[in-house]
């Protein structure tokens, strides 16, 4: 009850302080806003990347062709071997007979030619269709399969997958570095803002000490001020994220480049992003003010 | 019963200056004590040790059962809630009214709203500033500002009121008024009062318990004392 009463007073005071030192607070607020815009963007990107790597995972198939003289027994034993690999989710056999039928069904030209092939002299190969669990390790898995005796060709559209995965990883790394730098700068600015508030309220603080305010009572208003700066700083990034993403999603009809890359539907996704931005803003503000209080308010 | 018991206290500042030498004394509950002595005699040092702004280098200070010398920094606030402290320079908050300045002392220790109101009004009344409740400190005379500071110091009903030259910035008439206010608090509420001062007229007029310091040593401890020129 007592804590609650004092909390109300603290929030009021902290708001007053933010507005009183507005020119100063505005620097921290703008910096945290920029940071949070980048954070929001990188969250949106990384969730989308996650989402479509999952889709790609469903669609990307490793196709393994075996040598011409592979027997039915070998076909089954190699299947078992590959199924035991760590990254393999499923493996399906497609015999040359099945391939032939499929191709004949697909085109008339094929049908005309293949009809003349005798049943026992099929030039096509037996093959496996393999799905992997982790798309980023698909290259390693393909190499492992390639080393198996009787395996002739392994094909998984490596160019496309590898380039995509590589690009996503690079984007992720760059945004992590940018976010880290921005957070450091923001914390530094908040520490300075709070430091100046502490100095401007030196008299008040010394009187508080004199009349027996507890250390917590003295510290909390400054920490709350940092949290409020963080919360105010998250307003613009939240608006930009919500409207920006919805507009982007509608502009591209929910997919990028091809139907393969599907965007995450805005609802409720974008509200979760908004909450994450707010929480991160408040935490960064709290962290900065906490540092300032520890450094400049020796109690 | 003793409210304060000081035993063999020495205070050496970091720069090597010894401000208090082997000081022992007792102060009774309800007493009114003047601490006198020339400039640099150690009056402020003694007072700072009482509210744990400074720690004794050696010796003990027992205040209302609390061992002040050993009190940890994080627990100092518990001591401060039992004390009222008044300075020469008032230390009011200029942006707050008289009422708000006094109430501030209760607000920051988390008192209830109704409690704050009744106690604050009572304290302001006790120092005779009822008419100036909504006034700002800058609109008050020095003597009135000091009375606000006294009201703030006593608002939480402390056992002990410590004043370091409360009349140092005031002319003789205003000084006399302030001491009258303190004397009134001492008599009406029973608050123990310790007041460091240079003001010989006041000390001589009041005939209170006098503790005289010279170069950090206790040179006189009289029940009904005067400001003695020969010693101080
Ligand atoms: N923070 C400090 N650091 C070092 N020395 C100090 C400090 N405060 C006081 N002193 C020294 O301790 C001695 C006693 O000082 P103190 O302030 O207690 O005297 P005082 O009796 O209050 O004097 P005045 O009447 O001028 O206020 C002086 O020699 C002073 O220089
Ligand atoms: Mg002094």
């Amino acid at each position: 009850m007592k804590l609650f009463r004092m909390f109300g007073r603290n929030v009021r005071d902290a708001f007053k302080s933010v507005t009183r030192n507005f020119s100063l607070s505005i620097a921290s607020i703008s910096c945290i806003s920029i940071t949070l815009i980048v954070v929001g963007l990188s969250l949106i990107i990384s969730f989308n990347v996650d989402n479509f790597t999952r889709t790609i995972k469903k669609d990307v198939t490793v196709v393994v062709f075996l040598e011409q003289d592979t027997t039915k027994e070998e076909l089954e034993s190699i299947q078992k071997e590959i199924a035991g690999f760590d990254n393999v989710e499923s493996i399906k056999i497609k015999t040359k007979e099945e391939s032939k039928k499929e191709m004949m069904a697909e085109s008339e030209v094929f049908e005309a030619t293949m009809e003349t092939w005798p049943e026992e002299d099929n030039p096509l190969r037996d093959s496996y269709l393999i799905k992997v669990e982790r798309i980023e390790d698909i290259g390693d898995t393909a190499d492992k399969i390639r080393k198996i005796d009787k395996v002739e060709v392994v094909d998984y559209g490596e160019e496309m997958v590898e380039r995509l995965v590589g690009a996503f990883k690079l984007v992720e790394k760059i945004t992590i570095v940018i976010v880290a730098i921005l957070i450091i700068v923001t914390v530094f600015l908040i520490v300075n803002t709070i430091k100046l508030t502490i100095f401007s309220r030196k008299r008040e603080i010394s009187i508080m000490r004199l009349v027996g305010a507890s250390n917590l009572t003295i510290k909390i208003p400054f920490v709350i001020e940092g949290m409020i700066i963080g919360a105010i700083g998250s307003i613009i990034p939240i608006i930009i994220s919500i409207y920006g993403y919805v507009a982007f999603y509608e502009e591209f009809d929910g997919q990028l480049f091809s139907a393969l890359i599907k965007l995450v539907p805005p609802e409720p996704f974008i509200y979760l992003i908004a909450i994450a931005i707010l929480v991160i803003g408040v935490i960064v503000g709290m962290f900065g003010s906490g540092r300032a209080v520890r450094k400049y308010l020796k109690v | 019963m003793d409210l304060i018991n000081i035993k063999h206290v020495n205070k050496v500042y970091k720069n090597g200056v010894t401000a208090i030498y082997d000081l022992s004394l007792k102060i009774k509950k309800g007493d009114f004590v003047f601490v006198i002595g020339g400039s640099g005699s150690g009056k402020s040092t003694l007072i700072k040790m009482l509210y744990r702004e400074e720690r004794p280098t050696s010796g003990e200070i027992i205040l209302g059962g609390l061992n002040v010398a050993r009190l940890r920094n994080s627990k100092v606030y518990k001591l401060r809630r039992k004390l009222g402290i008044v300075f020469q320079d008032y230390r009011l908050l200029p942006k707050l009214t008289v009422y708000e300045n006094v109430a501030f002392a209760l607000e920051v220790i988390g008192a209830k709203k109704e409690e704050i109101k009744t106690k604050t009004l009572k304290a302001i009344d006790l120092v005779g500033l009822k008419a100036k409740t909504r006034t700002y400190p800058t609109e008050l005379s020095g003597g009135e500002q000091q009375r606000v500071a006294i009201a703030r110091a006593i608002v939480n009903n402390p056992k002990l009121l410590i004043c370091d030259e409360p009349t140092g910035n005031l002319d003789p008439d205003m000084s006399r008024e302030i001491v009258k206010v303190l004397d009134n608090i001492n008599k009406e509420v029973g608050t123990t009062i310790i007041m460091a001062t240079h003001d010989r007229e006041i000390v001589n007029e009041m005939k209170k318990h006098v503790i005289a310091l010279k170069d950090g040593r206790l040179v006189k401890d009289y029940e009904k004392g005067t400001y003695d020129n020969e010693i101080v």
Side-chain angles (χ1 to χ4, degrees):
Chain A
M1 196 50 219
K2 185 167 155 184
L3 267 177
F4 186 73
R5 235 182 2 256
M6 298 189 51
F7 188 77
R9 199 181 97 87
N10 287 331
V11 171
R12 205 168 359 105
D13 283 0
F15 259 112
K16 264 192 228 157
S17 174
V18 170
T19 45
R20 198 180 322 133
N21 305 327
F22 198 68
S23 55
L24 190 74
S25 308
I26 202 83
S28 301
I29 291 171
S30 337
C31 191
I32 203 164
S33 290
I34 293 166
T35 307
L36 290 173
I37 289 170
V38 178
V39 167
L41 198 66
S42 61
L43 281 176
I44 288 173
I45 291 173
S46 89
F47 272 99
N48 270 294
V49 167
D50 234 50
N51 187 51
F52 49 73
T53 35
R54 230 175 300 129
T55 334
I56 290 172
K57 191 179 112 186
K58 269 188 224 138
D59 287 1
V60 170
T61 309
V62 182
V63 184
V64 177
F65 292 100
L66 297 170
E67 285 172 10
Q68 187 80 62
D69 58 354
T70 311
T71 62
K72 291 288 162 207
E73 291 74 42
E74 281 169 332
L75 186 64
E76 270 165 31
S77 76
I78 294 171
Q79 179 199 20
K80 278 200 192 100
E81 186 182 347
I82 294 175
F85 286 0
D86 155 52
N87 193 26
V88 172
E89 193 179 82
S90 67
I91 174 162
K92 219 174 68 196
I93 296 174
K94 193 170 173 192
T95 59
K96 44 191 168 192
E97 292 77 21
E98 282 166 354
S99 297
K100 186 177 163 190
K101 249 186 242 157
E102 200 182 283
M103 287 171 85
M104 285 166 70
E106 258 172 31
S107 112
E108 282 175 28
V109 185
F110 281 156
E111 196 178 354
T113 341
M114 287 178 179
E115 244 174 4
T116 65
W117 294 352
E119 197 58 46
E120 63 284 0
D121 189 19
N122 184 343
L124 296 174
R125 315 292 177 92
D126 289 322
S127 64
Y128 301 121
L129 303 178
I130 300 167
K131 304 260 183 195
V132 294
E133 274 165 20
R134 296 177 308 278
I135 193 145
E136 61 272 22
D137 294 337
I138 196 168
D140 292 343
T141 308
D143 285 344
K144 239 162 108 189
I145 295 170
R146 212 170 269 128
K147 290 206 188 84
I148 296 171
D149 208 30
K150 293 281 179 188
V151 169
E152 199 169 59
V153 180
V154 179
D155 182 18
Y156 61 95
E158 45 208 302
E159 281 289 286
M160 191 272 218
V161 173
E162 257 165 18
R163 237 190 297 142
L164 215 55
V165 171
F168 294 155
K169 283 212 162 144
L170 189 66
V171 168
E172 249 171 21
K173 271 183 199 147
I174 291 171
T175 47
I176 285 171
V177 171
I178 292 173
V179 166
I181 291 169
L182 281 171
I183 285 180
I184 290 168
V185 173
T186 309
V187 167
F188 177 79
L189 270 174
I190 290 174
V191 167
N192 268 287
T193 309
I194 302 297
K195 176 179 99 179
L196 288 172
T197 332
I198 289 173
F199 286 176
S200 76
R201 290 173 65 183
K202 253 203 155 122
R203 196 184 178 82
E204 204 178 323
I205 293 166
S206 77
I207 293 169
M208 284 172 95
R209 291 218 175 108
L210 218 52
V211 299
S214 69
N215 295 336
L216 210 60
T217 314
I218 296 174
K219 283 177 185 172
I220 278 176
F222 299 105
V223 176
I224 291 180
E225 187 176 334
M227 291 164 76
I228 288 175
I229 288 174
I232 294 174
S234 69
I235 294 172
I236 292 173
I238 285 174
I239 293 171
I240 290 180
S241 300
I242 291 180
Y243 287 97
Y245 188 70
V246 169
F248 183 79
Y249 187 86
E250 278 166 7
E251 176 72 27
F252 287 93
D253 269 336
Q255 59 186 48
L256 221 54
F257 311 128
S258 77
L260 193 62
I261 302 181
K262 286 218 159 42
L263 295 171
V264 182
E267 279 184 57
F269 170 63
I270 204 63
Y271 300 116
L272 297 177
I273 296 288
I275 290 167
I277 289 173
L278 178 67
V279 169
I280 292 170
V282 169
I283 287 174
V284 170
M286 192 169 74
F287 184 73
S289 54
R291 274 181 70 96
V293 163
R294 237 172 294 132
K295 214 165 150 192
Y296 301 105
L297 205 69
K298 295 213 172 65
V299 283
Chain B
M1 202 192 129
D2 295 324
L3 180 66
I4 302 170
N5 193 350
I6 297 174
K7 295 184 219 165
H8 303 293
V9 163
N10 286 281
K11 175 65 188 178
V12 185
Y13 279 111
K14 277 201 196 81
N15 61 2
V17 173
T18 305
I20 296 285
Y21 289 93
D22 193 32
L23 179 72
S24 293
L25 61 87
K26 289 177 180 179
I27 291 170
K28 283 199 203 66
K29 229 179 189 167
D31 211 350
F32 192 132
V33 187
F34 286 117
V35 178
I36 62 170
S39 193
S41 59
K43 302 184 294 294
S44 297
T45 303
L46 169 59
I47 278 182
K48 281 179 186 160
M49 288 192 294
L50 289 178
Y51 67 89
R52 236 316 299 273
E53 182 70 23
E54 293 288 349
R55 270 177 202 267
T57 312
S58 63
E60 272 192 350
I61 299 178
I62 312 293
L63 201 163
L66 220 57
N67 192 338
V68 178
R70 294 234 197 94
L71 201 60
R72 275 191 287 136
N73 277 345
S74 57
K75 297 277 178 269
V76 167
Y77 75 94
K78 291 191 171 168
L79 169 72
R80 301 276 171 91
R81 287 182 190 192
K82 296 181 181 173
L83 304 176
I85 310 164
V86 174
F87 297 97
Q88 182 171 355
D89 58 359
Y90 326 131
R91 304 204 186 171
L92 301 174
L93 293 167
K95 281 183 185 155
L96 302 186
T97 63
V98 168
Y99 179 89
E100 289 164 343
N101 262 288
V102 177
F104 184 79
L106 292 174
E107 273 174 12
V108 299
I109 62 171
K112 286 200 192 74
K113 238 186 172 157
E114 317 84 68
E115 186 192 351
I116 292 175
K117 197 171 176 196
T118 45
K119 280 186 168 177
T120 302
L121 291 175
K122 204 176 137 207
I124 292 173
D125 193 23
L126 200 58
V127 298
L129 276 183
K130 220 174 174 177
K132 308 269 183 176
T133 308
R134 302 284 156 203
T135 316
Y136 287 89
T138 44
E139 301 159 1
L140 297 174
S141 73
E144 287 169 331
Q145 289 185 53
Q146 191 60 294
R147 281 192 268 164
V148 179
I150 293 169
R152 183 181 64 198
I154 60 163
V155 72
N156 198 25
N157 308 321
K159 290 185 188 138
L160 175 66
L161 179 58
I162 304 175
C163 314
D164 194 355
E165 304 202 33
T167 61
N169 282 345
L170 304 174
D171 64 37
D173 285 345
M174 278 193 187
S175 298
R176 208 157 279 133
E177 237 176 70
I178 290 296
V179 175
K180 253 185 224 150
V181 168
L182 293 176
D183 195 32
N184 185 41
I185 291 165
N186 176 243
K187 282 181 176 139
E188 297 254 310
V189 192
T191 312
T192 310
I193 295 179
I194 297 178
M195 171 174 160
T197 184
H198 273 132
D199 197 322
R200 78 188 57 227
E201 266 101 79
I202 285 175
V203 175
N204 290 339
E205 272 169 35
M206 299 293 291
K207 300 271 189 303
K208 299 286 186 189
H209 185 175
V210 171
I211 290 168
L213 296 175
K214 190 179 182 186
D215 300 330
R217 290 173 214 273
L218 180 69
V219 290
K220 202 171 147 187
D221 187 351
Y222 281 174
E223 277 307 321
K224 284 193 166 35
T226 52
Y227 208 113
D228 191 332
N229 277 329
E230 289 145 50
I231 294 175
V232 180

